[in-house]
Amino acid sequence: MPLLDDPVARPVPAAPPPRPRRTGRIPVALLLPAALGLLFLVLPLVGLLVRAPWTTLPQRLTEPGVLTALRLSLQTATLATLLCLLLGVPLAWLLARVDFPGRRVVRALVTVPLVLPPVVGGVALLLVFGRRGLLGGWLDSTFGITLPFTTTGVVLAEAFVAMPFLIIAVEGALRGADTRYEEAAATLGANRWTTFTHVTLPLVAPGIAAGAVLCWARALGEFGATITFAGNFPGRTQTMPIAVYLALETDLEAAIVLSLILLTVSVAILASLRDRWITSP
Amino acid sequence: MTAPIVTRDEPVAGTPMLDARLVVDRGAFRLDLALRISAGEVVALLGPNGAGKTTALRTLAGLTPLHDGYVTLDGQDLDRPDLSRWTATERRPIGVVFQDYLLFPHLTALDNVAFGPRRHGLDRQRARAVASDWLGRMGLAEHARRKPRQLSGGQAQRVALARALAVNPALLLLDEPLAALDARTRLDTRAQLQRHLAAHPGATLLVTHDPLDALVLADRLVIVEQGRVVQEGDAATITAQPRTDYVARLVGLNLHRGRADGHTVRVNADFSLTSGDRHDGEVFVAYPPSAVALYPRRPDGSPRNVWPATITGIQRHGDNLRVQLGGPIDVVADITPAAAAHLHLGAGQPLWAAVKATETRVYPAAPGGSHPE
């Protein structure tokens, strides 16, 4: 209240004492497990690099099967991410903004694929979209669409496993966003759809990007659901992880090369996106 | 969809632009207040924190639904629970300046202001032309391409005002529009705000807890405490005749309620004040802190109102000291530092306080137009 203006009696703030720097030694009880943890995460990657057949690498890289699997992996992971964005962002918005009965149940259901073993997810997909599945039969007889053991099937399997990552990230971003901006948009005449596209989406764009990156990485590495639902047809459903697994049985060096490629591609893409999106303020 | 921006017809004389009775029941807290604002009029809703001011504003904006009552703006029922009438926020002809402005951080100042006109049906180019015009009026033409985080507090406030006004609202709502500014910026911004509010043809409701904002910006003050209107009127009436302790503190007066019998006003069971004028019945007695004189011993001579008091607090107040006194009645007194030195003031010290009868102002406690509780 400006009625009492009191410049004299107000205590003059003393200069703050210099903040004591934490110069004490780092406790061994924390340092040791931390170092072990780092080692545990990095050592297998080092193993890959050490055992890589560097001399024959150029030849192996140009083998047609390798590039086909890589291209298929990148294509399906990207398509799966787009599918997840298309369906997952609206679902995340619903969970974050609309108070409907059974919201907690829906939220729990959304996270089920996260804890489900991917192979089980593949089986479940087969039971629904398989030729004799709940929807698969109808899709086949009505539209002639077959999903299992096709490239589309790969995309579906990857999206099924990866979508929860996107939904959880986007819902978190939406909950963290200040809903008063949406109220301000409403007072300016924006309906809920316009508010969503013109205000909400730009505000949570970094969260959506982070979710999409996580989702894409998960889709790229997907193995269990894919091999169960889509099988292993080179050029059609044989993605990199499946190629690695199969190569392991016959040709260890080929498996190492494929693993190296997968590692390089995912690290490169994640790093570039991370700089661009995730660390932005 | 809402009609494009058009000039509204002049309202019929005598009917207020806004006519509302706002009832929101939250169990422990109940808001129940009536508001009428004419076109071109600026009304300040003034009250302490938690009085329900912001809730009232939100009901008018359609961000909080009414439980009872009605909101009629420009002849249309926007919210009327008993008739199940409801107009969503985005269809109300309103503009809101929020407390911390809520400028969209991803849009430039220009696009923030153009947002409303665009939603009201203008194409991008025309909406930007309208926005550019408004920014020019606010003296912000050269800041049009800046993002909100590149604007100072005062500039952001003006962009927020331009954004709210750019849709030609029938009702402009401002929620503590100056609270986020530092003291110096506030002075300039308040003067500009006054100019823009005076030019606004629609009704304006200003929510504030700062009496200075209310007195400078508003034509009429409505004072709310605990969800109820406790006093309303123009600035002169309210500053001269406060009706609650809160209002008295705002305008810097001592205030007592009592029962008058001629020149005597019984304030409580043990204490009466003598007044200059004759009155009967329930009255208020008001007098400024400067009218209270302090003495180390019981004074002889003229003052009729003399009582023993103890000091409960001392603060600087301008060039003087403001002394809080306990005793048969709680009052504040303003004394000069010289007088203070003479009295050897200290907390808990007994003194004698005196007020001349001619310095008191006595007025009836229940006149028409106010709602004493």
Side-chain angles (χ1 to χ4, degrees):
Chain A
M1 205 109 316
L3 288 175
L4 296 175
D5 190 69
D6 191 358
V8 175
R10 191 173 295 154
V12 179
R19 192 182 286 253
R21 252 185 287 163
R22 311 282 319 228
T23 48
R25 294 184 46 185
I26 300 167
V28 175
L30 288 177
L31 190 59
L32 197 66
L36 277 176
L38 185 64
L39 209 61
F40 176 64
L41 288 177
V42 172
L43 210 52
L45 304 182
V46 174
L48 264 183
L49 293 174
V50 169
R51 293 291 304 274
W54 295 104
T55 46
T56 55
L57 197 60
Q59 281 159 258
R60 289 198 174 269
L61 282 182
T62 48
E63 275 171 28
V66 174
L67 287 179
T68 313
L70 180 61
R71 193 183 311 123
L72 185 70
S73 264
L74 293 177
Q75 281 172 347
T76 52
T78 306
L79 283 173
T81 305
L82 289 177
L83 182 66
C84 289
L85 282 171
L86 202 67
L87 306 178
V89 172
L91 186 49
W93 178 85
L94 210 66
L95 287 172
R97 287 288 187 275
V98 184
D99 198 7
F100 58 90
R103 182 160 69 165
R104 295 164 67 100
V105 178
V106 172
R107 187 176 292 132
L109 285 176
V110 160
T111 50
V112 164
L114 213 57
V115 293
L116 202 66
V119 177
V120 178
V123 172
L125 283 171
L126 268 180
L127 292 180
V128 176
F129 294 110
R131 289 236 170 140
R132 303 214 188 104
L134 294 173
L135 289 174
W138 174 73
L139 281 175
D140 193 21
S141 59
T142 316
F143 304 102
I145 296 174
T146 318
L147 293 172
F149 310 110
T150 63
T151 308
T152 316
V154 176
V155 174
L156 282 187
E158 290 180 351
F160 177 78
V161 173
M163 186 131 66
F165 288 83
L166 181 91
I167 292 174
I168 287 172
V170 176
E171 197 202 336
L174 283 168
R175 288 184 172 281
D178 194 341
T179 54
R180 295 178 312 145
Y181 285 108
E182 294 169 9
E183 292 184 345
T187 67
L188 293 165
N191 59 31
R192 280 189 112 166
W193 171 246
T194 322
T195 301
F196 174 72
T197 55
H198 284 63
V199 176
T200 315
L201 275 187
L203 283 177
V204 299
I208 293 178
V213 167
L214 271 177
C215 175
W216 186 85
R218 181 68 188 87
L220 189 71
E222 217 301 301
F223 174 78
T226 311
I227 199 165
T228 313
F229 183 57
N232 167 35
F233 299 100
R236 231 169 65 213
T237 70
Q238 194 188 77
T239 57
M240 287 292 276
I242 296 172
V244 171
Y245 183 74
L246 291 171
L248 205 54
E249 295 187 331
T250 54
D251 182 357
L252 180 62
E253 286 197 352
I256 296 173
V257 170
L258 289 168
S259 304
L260 265 184
I261 296 171
L262 200 54
L263 180 69
T264 313
V265 168
S266 45
V267 167
I269 291 184
L270 287 186
S272 65
L273 286 177
R274 194 181 174 85
D275 285 346
R276 204 186 146 91
W277 290 105
I278 302 177
T279 51
S280 73
Chain B
M1 198 55 231
T2 336
I5 297 170
V6 286
T7 14
R8 283 182 309 278
D9 297 329
E10 284 301 309
V12 185
T15 44
M17 180 68 98
L18 173 74
D19 184 7
R21 181 168 163 253
L22 310 174
V23 180
V24 176
D25 210 332
R26 291 218 188 98
F29 174 79
R30 184 178 160 90
L31 176 80
D32 186 348
L33 55 91
L35 271 179
R36 289 169 146 244
I37 310 179
S38 309
E41 190 183 25
V42 180
V43 169
L45 203 57
L46 181 65
N49 289 333
K53 309 184 296 288
T54 297
T55 304
L57 181 138
R58 289 179 61 85
T59 59
L60 292 172
L63 298 170
T64 299
L66 289 180
H67 293 157
D68 197 4
Y70 55 89
V71 174
T72 306
L73 181 60
D74 213 357
Q76 293 207 311
D77 284 337
L78 299 182
D79 190 354
R80 183 147 207 168
D82 58 338
L83 300 178
S84 299
R85 284 195 192 149
W86 168 255
T87 303
T89 300
E90 64 263 26
R91 289 166 182 269
R92 297 189 180 197
I94 54 165
V96 184
V97 176
F98 292 89
Q99 181 164 1
D100 35 11
Y101 318 137
L102 299 178
L103 296 176
F104 303 127
H106 58 288
L107 297 180
T108 61
L110 185 73
D111 284 335
N112 261 286
V113 181
F115 190 94
R118 190 90 176 82
R119 304 285 89 76
H120 284 71
L122 295 193
D123 64 35
R124 185 180 303 243
Q125 206 178 348
R126 285 178 59 206
R128 283 197 170 152
V130 168
S132 185
D133 181 49
W134 272 105
L135 286 177
R137 274 192 242 183
M138 298 288 164
L140 290 168
E142 69 272 31
H143 300 296
R145 305 235 154 267
R146 297 228 180 136
K147 291 280 179 69
R149 66 170 176 277
Q150 298 166 308
L151 297 170
S152 71
Q155 290 164 349
Q157 198 272 352
R158 281 179 283 157
V159 173
L161 182 63
R163 184 173 74 170
L165 285 172
V167 293
N168 289 339
L171 174 65
L172 176 66
L173 301 164
L174 303 108
D175 190 4
E176 305 274 5
L178 301 168
L181 301 175
D182 60 71
R184 194 195 166 87
T185 316
R186 186 182 293 198
L187 203 64
D188 294 341
T189 311
R190 189 188 286 127
Q192 293 191 16
L193 184 56
Q194 185 189 19
R195 213 154 35 82
H196 294 298
L197 293 188
H200 176 51
T204 302
L205 181 75
L206 165 80
V207 160
T208 182
H209 70 276
D210 184 339
L212 193 54
D213 289 347
L215 293 175
V216 172
L217 297 171
D219 303 315
R220 188 154 58 82
L221 278 63
V222 175
I223 295 166
V224 234
E225 285 178 59
Q226 290 164 353
R228 301 268 174 159
V229 175
V230 293
Q231 189 168 4
E232 65 180 294
D234 60 20
T237 312
I238 284 178
T239 48
Q241 303 194 343
R243 309 191 69 80
T244 71
D245 286 337
Y246 168 73
V247 184
R249 264 200 314 280
L250 283 184
V251 301
L253 289 176
N254 287 304
L255 180 73
H256 311 289
R257 189 178 175 140
R259 189 157 192 88
D261 184 6
H263 285 286
T264 306
V265 180
R266 178 154 291 278
V267 174
N268 59 38
D270 312 319
F271 194 76
S272 295
L273 281 168
T274 305
S275 66
D277 311 324
R278 291 187 61 93
H279 277 277
D280 284 300
E282 287 288 307
V283 293
F284 285 112
V285 185
Y287 48 93
S290 57
V292 181
L294 299 182
Y295 301 92
R297 280 173 294 281
R298 186 184 177 93
D300 311 318
S302 60
R304 304 275 298 276
N305 298 310
V306 179
W307 68 93
T310 48
I311 295 177
T312 56
I314 305 175
Q315 281 152 340
R316 271 194 79 91
H317 184 245
D319 290 337
N320 291 327
L321 295 178
R322 175 155 285 186
V323 183
Q324 273 120 38
L325 298 168
I329 50 175
D330 291 339
V331 297
V332 292
D334 282 357
I335 58 170
T336 63
H342 180 66
L343 286 166
H344 305 292
L345 293 182
Q349 191 193 334
L351 286 167
W352 288 84
V355 176
K356 285 184 190 156
T358 50
E359 303 231 39
T360 62
R361 194 155 52 221
V362 179
Y363 44 94
S370 75
H371 316 268
E373 285 301 306

